[in-house]
Amino acid sequence: MNFQVEYEKLKGAFESRLERTVSDRVPSKLRESMNYSLLGGGKRLRPILYLSVLCSYGIVPRESDYLFASALECVHTYSLIHDDLPVMDNDDVRRGAPTNHKKYGEAVALLAGDALLTLAFELAGKCASSDPIYAEAAYVLACNAGGSGMVGGQAMEFTCGAYDEKTLTDISALKTGKLIEAAIVCGTISADRKENIGAWLEFSDSFGKAFQLCDDILDLDNGERSLAALLGKSNAEKYLCELTDRAVAALDRTDGNTEFLKELTKAVLLRATDGL
Ligand code: GRG
């Protein structure tokens, strides 16, 4: 298996569907703003994790799986647009280009985020109406994205006051970890392999922690509060390698063919040193 070839193939198959996700009925400025962020690059990590869980059990993703994968990417994209707004992180650049509000203004960017979040559940609902197995996946996505998941983590970051190791770990488990967990758990549900959920949750726990740590290490020069800054670069890198090993070991317990996921895990998590 050539990892890079397989990754580009899966990403390409996903993106060709994603291009058709935002309806022509959406008013043109709003549609442009939604597509600007939705189709403006990114690793497509959460959809690829979801689809790879299915593939690990020899399942060829159905059109409804691409729809569900798009729902995950819509939630991720909305979170980035809102996170960049002046009232949150106030960032001007994302993925090397102006942030959504810099290009379209704050009102349109806010609404593009709202519309993408709503679209995610329109897509998940469409999947559930074609096959009831997706109803549970939609429920998991909602739980992990909302106040007790990703949004809750973002809220904690703004309100917690103290930034010790435990608090930073708790914030990242929600803010970053919960959407990654949703991708993996929803893949397990759609594959009808809930008997393997324990191993997938272990994978997701280590992957989520390592993903945030890797992002922190890449961001160390920006002087932001983070676990990597607290641990120091070399300890953070050591811990990142440990978490990556744990994630890869968990994949061996899933009862699937996880060669691709192992390569993906190493490429994504060790990009602080290697690059993807
Ligand atoms: C609900 C407003 C709101 C925010 C939720 C996810 C989030 C919290 C904020 C986004 C900012 C951020 C840096 C989160 C940490 C997780 C992370 C590294 C996100 C970037 O994800 P990638 O690397 O992005 O998958 P690409 O560009 O590849 O899609």
Side-chain angles (χ1 to χ4, degrees), residues 43 46 76 78-79 83 95 154 175-176 211-212 215:
K43 294 180 285 300
R46 296 142 193 88
H76 169 60
Y78 119 79
S79 80
D83 186 63
R95 298 171 178 153
Q154 181 80 346
K175 185 179 110 167
T176 306
F211 187 69
Q212 180 64 58
D215 197 61

Side-chain angles (χ1 to χ4, degrees), residues 94-220:
R94 170 152 312 263
R95 298 171 178 153
T99 46
N100 200 294
H101 66 274
K102 278 283 154 193
K103 191 153 168 82
Y104 295 97
E106 283 178 48
V108 174
L110 181 75
L111 292 169
D114 291 341
L116 283 166
L117 174 59
T118 314
L119 175 58
F121 290 96
E122 184 184 321
L123 298 173
K126 192 171 173 188
C127 294
S129 66
S130 74
D131 182 340
I133 204 160
Y134 294 105
E136 188 183 356
Y139 172 71
V140 168
L141 177 57
C143 292
N144 284 34
S148 52
M150 181 183 73
V151 174
Q154 181 80 346
M156 266 175 79
E157 187 164 279
F158 278 87
T159 57
C160 68
Y163 294 90
D164 52 76
E165 191 171 329
K166 181 180 178 325
T167 309
L168 289 166
T169 305
D170 289 349
I171 290 172
S172 116
L174 295 178
K175 185 179 110 167
T176 306
K178 281 291 176 182
L179 195 57
I180 288 172
E181 183 187 290
I184 294 161
V185 170
C186 292
T188 314
I189 292 168
S190 304
D192 205 8
R193 296 297 291 248
K194 272 168 62 185
E195 67 273 23
N196 300 117
I197 197 75
W200 287 112
L201 283 171
E202 284 171 33
F203 168 64
S204 140
D205 181 61
S206 299
F207 190 105
K209 284 178 179 153
F211 187 69
Q212 180 64 58
L213 193 61
C214 176
D215 197 61
D216 291 352
I217 293 171
L218 291 168
D219 236 23
L220 268 175

Side-chain angles (χ1 to χ4, degrees), residues 46-115:
R46 296 142 193 88
I48 286 177
L49 283 171
Y50 170 85
L51 295 167
S52 305
V53 174
L54 293 169
C55 294
S56 74
Y57 292 118
I59 298 168
V60 176
R62 300 167 283 184
E63 281 309 313
S64 48
D65 290 311
Y66 285 107
L67 274 188
F68 201 90
S70 300
L72 288 159
E73 191 67 3
C74 285
V75 174
H76 169 60
T77 307
Y78 119 79
S79 80
L80 299 182
I81 297 173
H82 281 192
D83 186 63
D84 289 335
L85 285 169
V87 71
M88 298 264 172
D89 275 7
N90 194 16
D91 281 319
D92 294 349
V93 176
R94 170 152 312 263
R95 298 171 178 153
T99 46
N100 200 294
H101 66 274
K102 278 283 154 193
K103 191 153 168 82
Y104 295 97
E106 283 178 48
V108 174
L110 181 75
L111 292 169
D114 291 341

Side-chain angles (χ1 to χ4, degrees), residues 16-29:
S16 68
R17 271 88 171 182
L18 193 68
E19 280 165 18
R20 304 193 292 263
T21 300
V22 178
S23 159
D24 289 345
R25 294 189 309 278
V26 176
S28 63
K29 236 338 139 203

